[in-house]
Amino acid sequence: MINRIPKHISLISDKELMAKGRGTTFTTVRGDGNLAITKWQDNKPVYLLSSCYAAEKTDTCRRWSKLHKTYLTVTRPEVIKEYNLSMGGVDLADLMLSDCPSRARTKKWTIRFILHMLDIAVTNSWFVYRIECMVKGIACKRIMQLQEFKMSLGHYFVEANDVSSDSTESDSEGILEPKHKRRKVSIVPLPSDIRRSQKADHMPIRSTVQNRCRLPGCKQKSRTKCSKCNIYLCNTLNRNCYQSFHK
């Protein structure tokens, strides 16, 4: 911000402010009284421009001192207090956008702009999702992180309108080949919740080979296989894991 301050405005130098100690404040007001520039000494000089607050009122705050390895009580002007109370939303959004962005190998500003707008929408939706989970009392470990939240949205938009039941390509894409060639067992990952709910496409198939039931908590083996999920599920008189899995 210092490079945006007009040169004709005289402010106290950094050396003079540092010599007076931490918590020192210097304020200059424009001639019409509508803008005030406040310079506050913390670990480094802090500049703030405001049309509402300056340094008329002061209070104290606790700041960490690297030199003394403890917290110190420092005088703070009103503009710093109001800034600290209001900050967080934009800074947190920028942090999350940089943590999990959508990248594209293109220099076209239109595509980059669209992807950035989508990232902002998804990030804001994740903030709302977190707030709703906290209001409902859901444990923090059960709340999805941003990357997991974006993956769930991707699964929803990809599979929500997938109504084809005779397509075998989508079923074979999720099969993971084993590392050892001697073993001929293929590991099929569990489908997403959206794919489970497509009940019209989930038809039971009887197989000559039995395999372990993939319903969490069931340790039995079954010969019934789901045509959509490509996994084995129990479907007997005593155990109906097939129905429980697709609810």
Side-chain angles (χ1 to χ4, degrees):
M1 179 181 172
I2 188 172
N3 58 343
R4 300 183 181 181
I5 300 176
K7 294 182 179 180
H8 66 273
I9 297 178
S10 60
L11 295 175
I12 187 173
S13 64
D14 294 348
K15 290 184 179 180
E16 295 178 6
L17 196 67
M18 190 178 299
K20 293 183 178 181
R22 195 171 181 179
T24 305
T25 305
F26 179 83
T27 303
T28 180
V29 183
R30 199 170 66 178
D32 56 3
N34 293 328
L35 284 177
I37 299 177
T38 303
K39 186 175 182 180
W40 179 57
Q41 177 64 33
D42 194 19
N43 290 325
K44 295 181 179 180
V46 178
Y47 297 86
L48 283 177
L49 177 66
S50 175
S51 60
C52 301
Y53 304 99
E56 293 89 355
K57 299 179 182 179
T58 59
D59 64 348
T60 57
C61 61
R62 297 175 70 242
R63 305 291 292 173
W64 177 257
S65 174
K66 293 183 179 179
L67 180 62
H68 300 89
K69 304 296 182 181
T70 185
Y71 284 97
L72 300 178
T73 301
V74 179
T75 304
R76 176 180 60 177
E78 186 180 13
V79 63
I80 299 292
K81 175 185 176 182
E82 295 297 329
Y83 173 77
N84 291 336
L85 290 175
S86 303
M87 68 174 294
V90 177
D91 296 337
L92 183 59
D94 291 340
L95 176 63
M96 301 312 298
L97 285 173
S98 62
D99 181 64
C100 187
S102 298
R103 300 295 186 185
R105 290 188 174 182
T106 178
K107 293 184 178 179
K108 293 183 178 180
W109 70 269
T110 51
I111 298 179
R112 296 171 69 92
F113 175 77
I114 292 173
L115 291 177
H116 184 68
M117 291 296 104
L118 290 175
D119 279 341
I120 292 177
V122 173
T123 303
N124 292 337
S125 302
W126 178 69
F127 286 140
V128 175
Y129 159 77
R130 285 186 60 196
I131 294 174
E132 291 182 353
C133 290
M134 292 178 182
V135 171
K136 293 179 181 179
I138 300 176
C140 294
K141 62 181 180 180
R142 297 184 58 188
I143 300 177
M144 290 187 293
Q145 298 298 320
L146 178 58
Q147 187 173 6
E148 186 180 359
F149 182 78
K150 294 183 73 173
M151 289 293 294
S152 66
L153 282 180
H155 283 299
Y156 174 79
F157 289 117
V158 170
E159 298 180 355
N161 298 321
D162 183 14
V163 295
S164 59
S165 59
D166 56 348
S167 175
T168 58
E169 295 181 359
S170 59
D171 296 337
S172 60
E173 287 178 357
I175 300 177
L176 303 178
E177 295 295 334
K179 296 182 179 180
H180 304 284
K181 294 184 178 180
R182 295 180 181 178
R183 298 179 60 187
K184 297 182 179 180
V185 180
S186 59
I187 303 173
V188 181
L190 291 175
S192 62
D193 296 337
I194 302 170
R195 197 166 190 175
R196 291 186 188 185
S197 61
Q198 296 172 348
K199 299 181 177 62
D201 295 339
H202 298 269
M203 303 300 295
I205 300 175
R206 297 294 295 177
S207 175
T208 57
V209 180
Q210 64 177 358
N211 206 333
R212 185 177 65 84
C213 178
R214 296 300 300 277
L215 180 70
C218 182
K219 299 182 180 180
Q220 303 297 327
K221 291 186 177 181
S222 174
R223 296 180 184 271
T224 305
K225 183 179 180 182
C226 178
S227 61
K228 183 71 174 180
C229 301
N230 196 23
I231 59 175
Y232 287 84
L233 295 165
C234 297
N235 188 11
T236 62
L237 294 176
N238 298 327
R239 301 185 310 276
N240 196 352
C241 300
Y242 191 91
Q243 181 180 3
S244 301
F245 184 83
H246 293 97
K247 280 186 177 180

